[in-house]
Amino acid sequence: MIDRFWAKFGKPSSDSVHTLTKDNMPKHVAIIMDGNGRWAKSRGLPRIAGHHTGMKVVKQITMAADRLGIQYLTLYAFSTENWKRPKAEVDFLMRLPQEFLSIELEELIANNVQVRMMGYRDALPSHTIRALEEAIARTADNTGLILNFALNYGSRTEMTDAVKRIAEAVRDGELKPEDIEESTIAERLFTNGLPDPDLLIRTSGELRLSNFMLWQLAYSEMWFTDVYWPEFSESHFHEAIAEYQRRARRYGGL
Ligand code: FPP
């Protein structure tokens, strides 16, 4: 029987020259989509043009991940620190989920993709959260790729909040300090129920984590490229996964 992987992977949708192995696919890929501004600047365009092209790349990479049978794709779309940017740029970024979903939601549904988000919802504009919540609700029963947008997400705040909730549980007598385990923390993060990323990709040549999934990336393989996000292609994505598949993961063992 031709399984889902080869049926989908066989589609002539990619010019990738990288050989990938079905058995060693990362389950969860996380991406720091960086370089939109520099890409735009290098073309004499306003920064928002970079973000807009970056949005189109989100679609391409989501579909590429789906074709490979990757189960979780987490995309860093807006950090808790990104509010420091000029208001016009923040406003533009906050309209992107809405625009993206108005164009792509039907196709995501047709491909059985489940949309999720992680981050602090309260600070998001109502139009942003409305669009996301509609997509989350309409795709909740889908069983394919989980497309997880990190939006107004910050890892240190996420962990600080988890610690606060644990402290409250101890104070209220619901939890003993000696019973606190790694899972006690992990269960109180936005990623509760998701496996840790196997592979982190960051585009644009920056070599840092920028407050992204600091707990969850403890044993992830990391892959960095100089390519700016708006020009990141399915072939680059395959290159990252091919490199991942060449690595030996030892988790501190031998
Ligand atoms: C970092 O590049 C990128 C962002 C802060 C925004 C990323 C958002 C997208 C790629 C689109 C999201 C789409 C959806 C559907 C939510 P930068 O602006 O920091 O680039 P620079 O470092 O070159 O200035």
Side-chain angles (χ1 to χ4, degrees), residues 29-218:
V29 177
I31 307 184
I32 302 177
M33 309 180 289
D34 197 10
N36 293 348
R38 277 164 287 165
W39 176 87
K41 192 173 173 210
S42 71
R43 282 163 178 71
L45 298 169
R47 291 178 56 82
I48 57 170
H51 296 315
H52 200 256
T53 303
M55 179 191 79
K56 295 180 186 163
V57 176
V58 167
K59 163 74 182 316
Q60 302 309 321
I61 299 305
T62 300
M63 290 311 168
D66 186 44
R67 279 191 287 275
L68 292 177
I70 287 166
Q71 295 174 43
Y72 305 86
L73 179 66
T74 296
L75 302 177
Y76 204 9
F78 193 91
S79 76
T80 46
E81 289 72 37
N82 286 150
W83 297 105
K84 294 178 202 154
R85 296 185 176 209
K87 184 176 181 307
E89 182 171 341
V90 169
D91 288 349
F92 187 86
L93 284 167
M94 287 297 152
R95 278 195 297 272
L96 284 184
Q98 204 175 349
E99 180 176 348
F100 175 79
L101 292 165
S102 73
I103 301 167
E104 309 295 356
L105 183 57
E106 296 309 323
E107 197 179 333
L108 294 175
I109 291 171
N111 281 280
N112 201 21
V113 172
Q114 186 185 123
V115 177
R116 293 195 194 175
M117 81 150 277
M118 62 175 193
Y120 293 91
R121 297 182 182 211
D122 289 355
L124 296 173
S126 54
H127 60 87
T128 312
I129 203 70
R130 242 194 336 268
L132 278 159
E133 281 180 349
E134 186 201 330
I136 290 166
R138 288 190 59 199
T139 62
D141 295 330
N142 289 355
T143 55
L145 171 75
I146 290 179
L147 172 59
N148 183 32
F149 287 108
L151 204 66
N152 196 22
Y153 172 83
S155 186
R156 286 187 170 184
T157 311
E158 176 189 41
M159 288 195 276
T160 306
D161 286 349
V163 170
K164 274 187 204 155
R165 273 185 268 143
I166 291 168
E168 283 162 7
V170 170
R171 180 197 61 200
D172 297 343
E174 295 156 9
L175 187 63
K176 292 199 198 100
E178 58 270 29
D179 290 338
I180 296 173
E181 298 176 348
E182 288 190 6
S183 62
T184 317
I185 297 169
E187 284 161 8
R188 287 164 176 81
L189 302 178
F190 288 120
T191 44
N192 181 28
L194 260 60
D196 288 340
D198 301 291
L199 172 65
L200 171 81
I201 295 173
R202 183 171 188 152
T203 59
S204 93
E206 306 294 349
L207 306 178
R208 55 179 172 262
L209 292 180
S210 301
N211 204 16
F212 187 52
M213 301 184 91
L214 302 178
W215 171 278
Q216 298 88 339
L217 292 170

